[in-house]
Amino acid sequence: MKETLNLIRSKTRKREVVIKRQAFCYFLNVYKGLSHDYIGKVIHRDRTTVIHSVNTFKDLLSIYPEYKSELDFLIKAKNTDLILLEQIIKENKDKLSEELIQYLQNYEPKR
């Protein structure tokens, strides 16, 4: 998932990467209830880009059912929590103790 996140954060406009990026934004917004601003921080994009991604992927799902496989992968993946946890640590590094940061970095989601 770490490689996928790096790909999602990349500047590339390759269609297969754009679809993954849009699916990720949609997933975080619809399934995790995160704000557009927060998702933008996670993927290193502006909130308006996230809004566009969410809306575009929603439209794509209604037209091309095969894009649901991108969404299914994210729904089944336990690693999405780790990505969010990484962002929380990054934002609060100066407020968290070293022990807590170490604990959070070693966190393994339940399968």
Side-chain angles (χ1 to χ4, degrees), residues 1 23-36 38-39 42 54 71 73-85 88 107 109-110:
M1 192 71 175
F24 191 63
C25 290
Y26 181 87
F27 170 76
L28 292 179
N29 183 249
V30 174
Y31 288 85
K32 294 289 187 178
L34 299 176
S35 71
H36 299 120
Y38 193 79
I39 297 167
V42 171
V54 170
L71 191 56
F73 170 77
L74 292 168
I75 292 169
K76 292 175 186 170
K78 300 290 184 188
N79 299 22
T80 54
D81 289 342
L82 295 177
I83 292 168
L84 300 176
L85 195 55
I88 291 167
Y107 172 78
K110 295 178 184 174

Side-chain angles (χ1 to χ4, degrees), residues 28-107:
L28 292 179
N29 183 249
V30 174
Y31 288 85
K32 294 289 187 178
L34 299 176
S35 71
H36 299 120
D37 287 324
Y38 193 79
I39 297 167
K41 289 178 185 177
V42 171
I43 66 165
H44 303 163
R45 295 289 192 287
D46 184 79
R47 70 177 180 80
T48 57
T49 302
V50 174
I51 293 168
H52 176 73
S53 293
V54 170
N55 292 336
T56 300
F57 192 75
K58 185 167 91 175
D59 292 343
L60 287 172
L61 281 175
S62 66
I63 299 167
Y64 304 104
E66 62 269 19
Y67 285 135
K68 190 168 181 332
S69 65
E70 292 290 342
L71 191 56
D72 289 340
F73 170 77
L74 292 168
I75 292 169
K76 292 175 186 170
K78 300 290 184 188
N79 299 22
T80 54
D81 289 342
L82 295 177
I83 292 168
L84 300 176
L85 195 55
E86 175 187 298
Q87 184 68 28
I88 291 167
I89 293 169
K90 184 177 174 185
E91 289 177 359
N92 298 291
K93 200 164 189 112
D94 58 329
K95 299 173 190 167
L96 302 174
S97 70
E98 284 300 316
E99 294 84 19
L100 182 56
I101 291 172
Q102 191 67 36
Y103 174 79
L104 293 172
Q105 288 173 335
N106 293 326
Y107 172 78

